[in-house]
Amino acid sequence: MHPLLHGKRMIAFDLDGTLIDSVPDLTVAVAHALADQKLTMPTSDNVRDWVGNGAAVLVERALTWTLGTPPDARLFERAYAGFLHHYAAAPNQLTTLFPHVGQALTALREAGYILVLITNKPERFIAPILDHFELNACFNLCLGGDSLAEKKPSPLPLLYAANACGVPPGDCVMVGDSRHDIAAGKAAGFTTLALPYGYNHGEPISHSDPDAVLTSLAEMIT
């Protein structure tokens, strides 16, 4: 196991950009939502830079991009409802696992670590995605961006998960791909491990000063 896992008991994982590459399906859903409103559709590169703060912020960023100004409330509500509808219809059509995800989660689980999932994605989408990739059994707890009153970069979801699993924050690790994951982990008192291949608004994840940057999840179990 990675040296920073020694003495740890709980490991929290982000989802989008950490375990799964969901940008292709998110791009389709955003594009359909904007097309429904007769607005210009974004590219996957656009969406990749917008992911990370939950579905509502993703849609708001898309609308602001296409309009050149923040949307009014009525347009936002229509586009957001459209996005939820389109994404729910096909959340796994083009989404893929990043390399070594299944292997790492299985090995960590077998080694006795408590694994939890903490994502800013709406909770309703978590189970279908985990079921699709046969990962549901890996996690003791899953929290979405709307599961609690606050989402990452707030430390609240991380502290809630640690308390629910009966593990002190100092014995926990946060694994993610964005500055929001690292900020939440630091604020919660977790050790932070970062992955450089995900979605971090075009910024190197090393700039967030995690405790370590991994090339893939395989480094956690070697």
Side-chain angles (χ1 to χ4, degrees):
M1 297 296 169
H2 192 282
L4 288 177
L5 298 184
H6 295 169
K8 304 301 182 181
R9 295 170 52 200
M10 191 189 89
I11 305 174
F13 289 91
D14 175 52
L15 182 59
D16 299 72
T18 298
L19 303 183
I20 61 171
D21 183 4
S22 55
V23 159
D25 282 319
L26 291 170
T27 300
V28 171
V30 171
H32 283 317
L34 295 189
D36 290 344
Q37 305 304 317
K38 307 295 190 294
L39 296 172
T40 303
M41 296 182 290
T43 67
S44 60
D45 287 338
N46 295 136
V47 174
R48 188 174 297 274
D49 283 342
W50 298 335
V51 173
N53 295 94
V57 175
L58 170 60
V59 172
E60 182 179 18
R61 286 171 175 160
L63 288 169
T64 299
W65 169 82
T66 193
L67 295 170
T69 186
D72 63 48
R74 292 177 63 187
L75 175 59
F76 169 78
E77 291 299 333
R78 292 198 304 271
Y80 183 52
F83 168 82
L84 294 176
H85 169 75
H86 291 298
Y87 190 57
N92 298 307
Q93 185 107 13
L94 303 172
T95 294
T96 57
L97 286 179
F98 284 112
H100 313 295
V101 168
Q103 174 192 5
L105 294 178
T106 299
L108 291 167
R109 183 84 174 176
E110 292 177 350
Y113 291 98
I114 298 169
L115 306 185
V116 302
L117 186 74
I118 302 177
T119 173
N120 282 348
K121 182 188 290 294
E123 183 177 345
R124 62 186 282 197
F125 299 119
I126 297 174
I129 290 172
L130 295 185
D131 284 341
H132 176 77
F133 292 110
E134 300 182 345
L135 297 178
N136 248 329
C138 294
F139 298 102
N140 291 65
L141 175 69
C142 296
L143 297 174
D146 52 356
S147 298
L148 302 171
E150 299 174 9
K151 59 181 182 289
K152 298 175 296 182
S154 167
L156 176 64
L158 282 67
L159 294 173
Y160 177 93
N163 182 67
C165 294
V167 182
D171 293 343
C172 299
V173 178
M174 180 69 218
V175 182
D177 66 296
S178 80
R179 62 179 185 250
H180 312 297
D181 300 314
I182 305 308
K186 288 177 174 292
F190 286 29
T191 295
T192 54
L193 299 180
L195 294 158
Y197 53 65
Y199 321 138
N200 191 36
H201 313 291
E203 301 173 5
I205 192 61
S206 59
H207 290 182
S208 297
D209 197 27
D211 291 299
V213 177
L214 312 178
T215 57
S216 79
L217 290 188
E219 287 188 41
M220 295 186 69
I221 57 174
T222 56

